[in-house]
Every structure is written in C-alpha cells, then in structure tokens.
Amino acid sequence: MEAVARLNNVPTSPRKMRLVADLVRGKRVGLALSILKFTPNHGAIRLEKLLLSAVANWQAKNPDEKLEEADLYIKTIMVDEGRSLKRLRPAPQGRGHRIRKRSNHVTLVVDAFSGEEVTADVVETNEKAN
C-alpha cells in the first residue's frame, strides 16, 4: 500500500529541484536517503525531510507491518511549478528589470516493493549484469 507526502511552495526553482529528484527516482528508501544526505544541492535537504515524512505516513497506514521487512521504494516523485514572486531590480537609466523568484511543489509516493513490479533500480542492476 502506497503513502503520499507533499511539499508546497518550496522557494527553489523547479529546474534545480528536478535535478535532485532525478537522482532518487525509483530507488529504494535507504539508498535514496544516503544519496540525499551527501548531495550538496539545497533541495536535497528538503527532499530528505519529505522522504522521511512519506515513510512515516506509510507506517501510519500500515501499523502491523515492519519497516525493515517492507522493502520500500520511491514509486513516483513529481516536481511541479509553484507560484512566482515578481520583483523589480533597478537597471541603468531609470529602468527596472523583472526578477521572477520561482517556487515549486513536490509530490512523493512511497510503496512497498513486490516481486512483479519493475523499478528503475531493478533495471539498473539488470543492465550492469549484462
């Protein structure tokens, strides 16, 4: 059974957050947490907290199952564009240049791994074996 966690209005551009999200898409939770812990991007800190929140949501939905035996993985992670704050930066000769301070919304879905599903992690291991 899957669990969802959402993070809205993160003050980071969606393009920068997608770079971090692509690192952990389809990975197992333990591996994803270690990747996010040592990634220097600012978005990695927020995604790490979001992943821990998704795992806690999964535990709340499945109180009778053990986390160690569940073999959780990141089923989907989506980074959508949020609202943009529009500001003016002074420019030469009395003009103003528009600055867009972008934000994003992140949705993360965690699910327990079962044998018939194929994730990016499984595909990577099969490619390395061949």
Side-chain angles (χ1 to χ4, degrees), residues 11-91:
T12 307
S13 71
R15 186 174 178 180
K16 291 178 184 177
M17 189 65 87
R18 281 188 195 109
L19 289 173
V20 180
D22 289 341
L23 291 174
V24 297
R25 183 173 284 120
K27 302 271 196 260
R28 306 215 186 252
V29 169
L31 179 63
L33 283 172
S34 62
I35 289 171
L36 291 173
K37 181 124 181 118
F38 296 107
T39 301
N41 296 15
H42 187 69
I45 298 165
R46 295 177 190 263
L47 278 184
E48 182 181 3
K49 288 178 75 173
L50 182 67
L51 181 55
L52 290 173
S53 175
V55 170
N57 290 346
W58 185 88
Q59 281 181 320
K61 276 187 170 182
N62 306 301
D64 54 337
E65 294 186 36
K66 291 185 178 180
L67 183 62
E68 295 82 18
E69 297 172 0
D71 203 18
L72 295 178
Y73 73 102
I74 299 174
K75 188 173 185 180
T76 57
I77 182 167
M78 295 180 295
V79 180
D80 300 322
E81 188 172 341
R83 64 180 179 194
S84 295
L85 298 175
K86 293 164 180 84
R87 301 289 182 255
L88 287 177
R89 167 83 71 212

